[in-house]
């Protein structure tokens, strides 16, 4: 009776605040009865890792994007390559991904408490959410119940958005997965955390670019003098989740072409300006877009499995 009353209260709370309780077979209370400490275990693993290395917050959010954009949110990004298959994580587009050890740590601790229950796909989604909040961003709840996929092929990563896409191409690419132009700009705001490598923006420095502030261009050139792997923060607060990224775009100081194009293009400029002016608006739209990203083409039941080890299929 007590458990039933608790579930009823939670259902009512989600109804009041407007959270979707079910999303394509997922549930906010999916682990309440069979692994009630799962979310706290993930949060502890994330917070412990980020206290030691705050730059990993960007890695966990990027991991979710790169997982969900390929074959949906099914933890395919975590699978290791085998002698017969080169997996997604070994694609050039994914070689700079970080944070795998955080997922491994959470999974190991969860398996000790409730083996065979919590998917690696759910752990990625929860870890990204917890990383956003740890870095100062909004907290958003997500439904659970994703199953892990059994396919991970390097050739599928060709569908990842390139840092060289313009706004129209970004809108088309994301639109094919159900995202609006507003979602595109909000999700791009994840670049408020982390860095870009010179190899992803050096092409902008070879010809005069009127959309780039000349002083900032000189700064990027100085970064690239250290080689293709040299890192440039996306904004001045690389470990803080805020709206500084959008302020940088207004100053013509976006690092990637795919960043600055959002301000240069009339269709998305007003959204950028709105987020630069109102951080709360950005936070609200970002959490809505992240819920949508976290639910992208999820696998349920017989479509997947619950991996014992996130790096290999059962």
């Amino acid at each position: 009776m007590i458990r039933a009353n608790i579930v009823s209260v939670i259902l009512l709370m989600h109804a009041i605040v407007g959270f979707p309780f079910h999303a394509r077979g997922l549930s906010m209370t999916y682990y309440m009865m069979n692994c009630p400490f799962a979310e706290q275990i993930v949060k502890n693993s994330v917070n412990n890792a980020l206290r030691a290395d705050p730059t990993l917050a960007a890695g966990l959010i990027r991991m979710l994007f790169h997982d969900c954009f390929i074959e949906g949110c099914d933890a395919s990004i975590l699978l290791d390559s085998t002698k017969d298959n080169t997996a997604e994580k070994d694609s050039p587009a994914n070689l700079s991904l970080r944070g795998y050890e955080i997922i491994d740590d959470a999974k190991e601790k969860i398996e000790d408490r409730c083996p065979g229950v919590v998917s690696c796909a759910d752990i990625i989604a929860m870890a990204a959410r917890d990383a956003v909040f740890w870095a100062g961003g909004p907290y958003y709840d997500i439904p659970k119940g994703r199953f892990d996929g059994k396919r991970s092929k390097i050739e599928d990563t060709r569908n990842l958005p390139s840092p060289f896409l313009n706004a129209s191409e970004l809108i088309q690419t994301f639109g094919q997965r159900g995202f609006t132009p507003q979602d595109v700009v909000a999700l791009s705001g994840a670049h408020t955390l982390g860095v870009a490598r010179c190899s992803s923006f050096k092409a902008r420095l070879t010809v005069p670019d009127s959309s780039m502030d000349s002083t900032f261009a000189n700064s990027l050139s100085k970064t690239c003098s250290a080689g293709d792997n040299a890192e440039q923060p996306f904004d001045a607060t690389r470990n803080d989740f805020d709206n500084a990224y959008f302020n940088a775009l207004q100053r013509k100081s976006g690092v990637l072409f795919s960043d600055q194009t959002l301000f240069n293009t009339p269709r998305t400029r007003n959204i950028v300006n709105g987020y630069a002016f109102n951080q709360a608006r950005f936070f609200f739209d970002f959490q809505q877009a992240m819920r949508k990203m976290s639910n992208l083409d999820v696998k349920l039941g017989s479509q997947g499995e619950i991996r014992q080890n996130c790096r290999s299929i059962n």
Side-chain angles (χ1 to χ4, degrees), residues 10-68:
I10 291 177
L11 282 168
L12 178 61
M13 289 173 62
H14 284 300
I16 291 172
V17 299
F19 290 152
F21 183 70
H22 288 287
R24 282 201 62 224
L26 306 181
S27 167
M28 292 292 187
T29 57
Y30 190 82
Y31 296 119
M32 174 172 283
M33 299 304 180
N34 55 4
C35 198
F37 303 108
E39 294 206 56
Q40 188 61 48
I41 291 172
V42 173
K43 181 180 179 180
N44 290 345
S45 290
V46 170
N47 289 355
N48 289 338
L50 298 188
R51 275 193 289 269
D53 183 358
T55 67
L56 285 169
L60 289 172
I61 300 168
R62 188 163 173 247
M63 183 184 292
L64 176 74
F65 288 172
H66 283 230
D67 181 44
C68 295

Side-chain angles (χ1 to χ4, degrees), residues 178-208:
F179 295 98
T180 67
Q182 177 178 286
D183 291 332
V184 172
V185 180
L187 290 171
S188 295
H191 283 173
T192 183
L193 297 175
V195 298
R197 294 188 175 184
C198 173
S199 57
S200 63
F201 60 80
K202 66 179 182 179
R204 301 184 67 201
L205 306 174
T206 57
V207 293

Side-chain angles (χ1 to χ4, degrees), residues 25-27 29-39 41-42 75 106-124 126 143-148 299-301 304-310 314:
L26 306 181
S27 167
T29 57
Y30 190 82
Y31 296 119
M32 174 172 283
M33 299 304 180
N34 55 4
C35 198
F37 303 108
E39 294 206 56
I41 291 172
V42 173
K107 177 64 170 176
E108 181 179 347
K109 289 180 169 60
I110 288 173
E111 286 295 303
D112 286 343
R113 298 289 292 271
C114 31
V117 174
V118 180
S119 69
C120 302
D122 273 349
I123 293 174
I124 292 177
M126 290 186 282
K144 275 72 69 177
R146 299 160 190 79
F147 276 60
D148 299 321
K299 292 175 174 59
L300 303 171
E305 64 179 9
I306 305 298
R307 287 183 214 145
Q308 297 174 350
N309 182 327
C310 290
N314 294 340

Side-chain angles (χ1 to χ4, degrees), residues 135-138 185-186 188-193 234-251 253 271-284 286:
V185 180
S188 295
H191 283 173
T192 183
L193 297 175
F234 284 111
D235 66 28
T237 56
R238 61 174 287 181
N239 294 326
D240 296 331
F241 197 98
D242 52 28
N243 65 341
Y245 164 82
F246 297 106
N247 297 133
L249 300 188
Q250 290 180 316
R251 298 192 304 271
S253 298
I271 305 173
V272 170
N273 288 335
Y275 293 160
F277 177 73
N278 188 337
Q279 180 170 278
R281 177 182 172 186
F282 162 50
F283 277 18
F284 180 80
F286 180 82

Side-chain angles (χ1 to χ4, degrees), residues 196 201 204 216 220 232-235 249 253-257 259:
F201 60 80
R204 301 184 67 201
F216 184 66
L220 293 186
Q232 173 72 33
F234 284 111
D235 66 28
L249 300 188
S253 298
V255 176
L256 303 178
F257 177 81
D259 292 324

